[in-house]
């Protein structure tokens, strides 16, 4: 909600009156929030995340959010270099060969509303602009998309909704490792057609 607390007190409570005037005291929640993290992993390399949110935008209970995360998986960019017809792995060396755009990232900027009043107060909605860059051993993906979502305002016992996404992407397949194939890693992503494409999708959500 927008408020930490709401207190109702009658004016002049000691005086008997047929009608009482009530005083309302509201304590508003902080409307601005910023969070940032940094870290490192062997899989993703150095990584960082940041998120900024602004609540009660224009005094209409709208929430603006800008979130970004990025990592530089430099260990994936090691390429073996071997002589012709090598007889032993010790004859091979490694070189650093990053792609043209080596920084993995996701950027999401959006506005959400707790209800779709005056149309209805039983649904809430949001609009997001999303950019994604993924660099995996088995594929590379660059995506720009817009997303609109609607779901039920009440979350108990669960919330259900619809998400429509429209965007543009560039997808290319790489060499999938045997370990990834056995584990089923990126299996769904690798079914995407290679090259440039404009796409649209409508999917249900349950949470």
């Amino acid at each position: 909600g927008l408020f930490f607390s709401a207190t109702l007190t009658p004016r002049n409570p000691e005086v008997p009156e047929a009608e009482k005037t009530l005083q309302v005291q509201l304590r508003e929640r902080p409307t601005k929030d910023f969070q940032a993290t940094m870290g490192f992993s062997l899989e993703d390399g150095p990584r960082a995340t940041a998120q900024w949110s602004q609540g009660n935008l224009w005094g209409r209970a709208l929430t603006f959010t800008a979130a970004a995360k990025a990592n530089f998986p430099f260990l994936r960019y090691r390429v073996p270099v071997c002589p012709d017809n090598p007889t032993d792995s010790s004859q091979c060396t490694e070189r650093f060969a990053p792609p043209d755009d080596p920084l993995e990232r996701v950027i999401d900027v959006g506005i959400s509303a707790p209800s779709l009043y005056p149309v209805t107060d039983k649904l809430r909605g949001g609009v997001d602009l999303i950019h994604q860059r993924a660099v995996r051993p088995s594929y590379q993906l660059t995506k720009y998309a817009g997303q609109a979502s609607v779901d039920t305002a009440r979350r108990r016992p669960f919330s259900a909704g619809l998400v429509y996404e429209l965007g543009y992407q560039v997808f290319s397949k790489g060499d999938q490792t045997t370990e990834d194939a056995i584990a089923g890693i990126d299996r769904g992503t690798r079914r995407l057609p290679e090259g440039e494409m404009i796409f649209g999708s409508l999917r249900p959500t349950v949470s």
Side-chain angles (χ1 to χ4, degrees):
L2 295 177
F3 304 103
F4 268 128
S5 61
T7 306
L8 298 176
T9 57
R11 181 180 296 176
N12 301 323
E14 298 84 5
V15 180
E17 295 175 305
E19 295 183 354
K20 282 288 186 181
T21 301
L22 296 178
Q23 295 178 327
V24 181
Q25 294 181 336
L26 300 176
R27 185 184 175 192
E28 189 175 7
R29 293 180 182 273
T31 57
K32 299 178 181 179
D33 181 67
F34 176 76
Q35 299 178 11
T37 64
M38 296 184 67
F40 178 86
S41 75
L42 294 177
E43 174 66 22
D44 298 325
R47 56 190 178 186
T49 66
Q51 178 173 306
W52 166 266
S53 62
Q54 170 75 56
N56 199 21
L57 201 63
W58 304 308
R60 297 189 175 274
L62 301 175
T63 300
F64 169 81
T65 303
K69 61 179 180 180
N71 54 273
F72 183 64
F74 64 93
L75 293 178
R76 301 180 196 161
Y77 305 147
R78 296 178 300 174
V79 178
V81 178
C82 300
D84 295 336
N85 302 317
T87 58
D88 190 84
S89 59
S90 62
Q91 296 177 279
C92 299
T93 59
E94 289 187 341
R95 66 182 178 89
F96 184 63
D100 294 335
D101 188 356
L103 188 68
E104 286 196 315
R105 58 193 177 269
V106 177
I107 302 172
D108 187 338
V109 178
I111 293 180
S112 60
S115 72
L116 299 183
Y117 180 85
V119 178
T120 178
D121 60 356
K122 298 184 182 302
L123 296 175
R124 58 181 180 173
V127 177
D128 291 83
L129 298 176
I130 301 171
H131 166 57
Q132 179 184 2
R133 168 67 175 168
V135 184
R136 303 287 175 176
S138 56
Y139 71 89
Q140 293 187 29
L141 172 68
T142 303
K143 182 174 77 171
Y144 302 88
Q147 182 175 285
S149 60
V150 176
D151 59 354
T152 52
R154 291 188 176 183
R155 299 187 178 184
R156 297 180 180 178
F158 63 88
S159 176
L162 291 173
V163 177
Y164 180 72
E165 186 175 18
L166 178 65
Y168 163 83
Q169 73 177 28
V170 180
F171 178 76
S172 61
K173 295 180 182 179
D175 297 327
Q176 190 177 35
T177 64
T178 303
E179 293 79 6
D180 286 354
I182 294 174
I185 296 175
D186 304 328
R187 183 179 297 167
T189 305
R190 285 180 61 82
R191 286 199 294 264
L192 295 174
E194 288 193 271
E196 302 180 20
M197 66 176 293
I198 296 175
F199 67 91
S201 66
L202 179 66
R203 59 183 184 273
T205 61
V206 178
S207 60

